[in-house]
Amino acid sequence: MSMAHRLALTASALTLTAGLAATAAPAEAATATAAAPPSITSVSFSGTHGPGVASPAITVNGSGFGDTSPAGTNNNVTSCGTYTNNGNAYGNQLYFIDDNNFGAGYSDGNGANCIGVTVVSWSSNQVVLRFGSSYGSFAHWYLSNGDGYALSMSNGIFGGNVSGLG
């Protein structure tokens, strides 16, 4: 499944969830609210941009992230090659898409992205992520200021343009 298709499916699921929650009876609304996706209020980037550099840190602020990260699976062996310290793949629970350049952390029955995600820290209101070791190793598998991106965490989605990299 293409990154654009996955992103469209995620956005559709969020729209459907919001519509169901808005039309639910009060008792059902409380249940729907408890299962609501996290709220991402900001994403910031720090580090250096471009090829051949270490992964930047990605700091996600908001609420409802939970006390622990989702379970991931080791992403050292991919269809793109074998890597050391390439982070994890998290199914559809945690992934990052740099528009038209690369995806990281997503996996399904057809395999995982070639770039894994490493959780540096996780709390209910702040998460810090980095990319695995395959980051920057091929074509345009790196972030640059101005790149469009989308980040999905437990069906909470946030997007914008990368900024703040040196």
Side-chain angles (χ1 to χ4, degrees):
M1 180 184 306
S2 73
M3 287 186 286
H5 188 230
R6 287 192 304 265
L7 188 57
L9 288 175
T10 300
S12 296
L14 290 172
T15 302
L16 178 61
T17 300
L20 289 173
T23 60
E28 293 168 341
T31 302
T33 301
S39 173
I40 299 172
T41 56
S42 68
V43 175
S44 61
F45 301 86
S46 60
T48 306
H49 69 93
V53 299
S55 168
I58 303 165
T59 303
V60 184
N61 293 298
S63 60
F65 301 151
D67 293 331
T68 60
S69 65
T73 57
N74 185 290
N75 202 40
N76 286 344
V77 179
T78 74
S79 63
C80 304
T82 300
Y83 301 91
T84 302
N85 299 318
N86 196 33
N88 289 320
Y90 295 91
N92 65 355
Q93 293 301 300
L94 173 63
Y95 60 93
F96 184 95
I97 297 172
D98 179 316
D99 296 350
N100 300 317
N101 293 317
F102 69 90
Y106 182 83
S107 62
D108 62 14
N110 295 319
N113 291 140
C114 294
I115 301 173
V117 170
T118 299
V119 174
V120 176
S121 65
W122 191 286
S123 72
S124 63
N125 61 359
Q126 186 178 71
V127 172
V128 179
L129 308 169
R130 288 192 181 272
F131 298 117
S133 62
S134 64
Y135 172 82
S137 67
F138 182 78
H140 192 69
W141 288 2
Y142 57 86
L143 295 177
S144 295
N145 290 323
D147 286 357
Y149 74 89
L151 171 70
S152 179
M153 291 175 42
S154 302
N155 295 321
I157 193 162
F158 191 87
N161 293 93
V162 174
S163 64
L165 298 176

